Amino acid sequence: MKVDVYLGIDTSCYTTSVAAVDKNGRIVDEARKLLMVKPGKKGLAQSEMVFQHTRNLPVLIEELFGRNDMKIIGIGVSKKPRPVENSYMPAFLSGYGLARSLAKVCCVPLVAITHQENHLEAALHSSGIGELQRGLFLHASGGTTEILVIEKQPCLKYQLTEIGGSIDLHAGQFIDRVGIALGLSFPAGPHVEALAAKAETAYVLPVAAQGTSLSFSGPCSAALRAIENGVPNANLALGVQIALAESFARVIVATVHVKKLKNIVFAGGVMSNLFIREYLKKALQKEDITLWFAGPTFSADNALGCAVAAQRLLGEGKDE
């Protein structure tokens, strides 16, 4: 017997993702594939992303539906990076184009959200909080480091209002630049985390956080100089993690005191780092707030949020 599912599709800068949830929002299955970046390179051109997404999507769809007997009753997709005017990136057109075609062929409704909303939906679902009326969202990745206020609207969608974040490098860029300089593969996050676990002591890097603003260019420059000066790789990797975590902790404290928010949601590839999560739990334990981390599997790029958004909005009779 076929399972009725809401299909989610997300084509970000470095991951092609698909996911399916049932009518109750339970995860049926998901599949994703990292885009290939040549050794020593720090990223991909948009044309390369589109090419790889176009190649990956049929394989992932076949994989997902080959393992499960499913019937699509709705589709959710990331159409652009962020829910702001003029937000655009060609990579997302790969998934959006396929989603539009599938929706028409299958005669099912389509919900188009943004990549950032996808991360929020996945975090709310996988952290256990479910839904949230109002709170704070820290989205930290290679393409974004933002602090946003979340407010649920009467239409059931979330309004995201940016109130702070990095003024230069994103958190993931900081990690990747140091990681590549250390000879690690891109994306460097998991490799830096593994390397840091071997450290005997942390190399202290500067922390540049004031109010709701972060800066990672200074800490990154200091880290690159440390490599030239022969600082042990593991000690430096640990120092990078501490600089990031302490920066996040400081801006969160500054923000919650002003906005009087009690619930903080974390997502993005950088927030997959277990050391950073534990650091934040300890650093913020005296604050009157609750921390909600996306499940480690669903903190980095994935399509769960798109599927969940379709189930939540269409399941309540809402359609875009």
Side-chain angles (χ1 to χ4, degrees), residues 26-155:
R26 291 187 291 257
I27 302 171
V28 176
D29 203 353
E30 65 103 17
R32 65 187 90 165
K33 182 176 178 60
L34 284 173
L35 304 189
M36 295 178 61
V37 179
K38 293 180 180 179
K41 296 292 184 179
K42 299 178 181 178
L44 293 170
Q46 283 291 316
S47 59
E48 294 177 286
M49 296 177 196
V50 171
F51 173 74
Q52 292 195 44
H53 285 314
T54 303
R55 209 171 46 176
N56 292 343
L57 280 168
V59 175
L60 294 181
I61 292 291
E62 290 169 356
E63 182 181 329
L64 198 70
F65 284 82
R67 293 195 299 250
N68 305 275
D69 193 10
M70 302 183 295
K71 175 187 175 183
I72 299 173
I73 58 173
I75 300 174
V77 63
S78 296
K79 184 179 180 180
K80 60 182 185 178
R82 299 165 58 237
V84 295
E85 190 176 357
N86 298 322
S87 179
Y88 169 75
M89 193 172 285
F92 292 101
L93 297 181
S94 305
Y96 182 56
L98 175 62
R100 285 180 59 187
S101 300
L102 286 174
K104 184 62 68 175
V105 170
C106 297
C107 298
V108 298
L110 174 68
V111 171
I113 62 173
T114 67
H115 181 65
Q116 191 165 64
E117 291 169 303
N118 170 55
H119 269 295
L120 174 61
E121 294 276 4
L124 292 172
H125 187 280
S126 62
S127 68
I129 192 174
E131 296 184 18
L132 186 63
Q133 292 300 319
R134 190 167 184 269
L136 194 68
F137 179 31
L138 176 61
H139 181 193
S141 67
T144 302
T145 301
E146 292 182 343
I147 304 157
L148 309 107
V149 172
I150 313 162
E151 295 177 294
K152 193 175 182 183
Q153 303 300 296
C155 66

Side-chain angles (χ1 to χ4, degrees), residues 37-43 176-177 179-181 183-187:
V37 179
K38 293 180 180 179
K41 296 292 184 179
K42 299 178 181 178
D176 286 331
R177 290 189 182 187
I180 295 300
L184 304 176
S185 300
F186 181 94

Side-chain angles (χ1 to χ4, degrees), residues 237-256:
L238 180 56
V240 168
Q241 292 186 154
I242 292 174
L244 284 164
E246 181 59 25
S247 297
F248 296 151
R250 292 185 189 182
V251 296
I252 289 169
V253 170
T255 304
V256 297

Side-chain angles (χ1 to χ4, degrees), residues 205-240:
L205 291 170
V207 173
Q210 185 172 8
T212 60
S213 295
L214 299 164
S215 172
F216 293 121
S217 61
C220 183
S221 295
L224 296 177
R225 287 195 299 271
I227 295 174
E228 294 177 355
N229 293 332
V231 171
N233 290 357
N235 295 358
L236 179 58
L238 180 56
V240 168

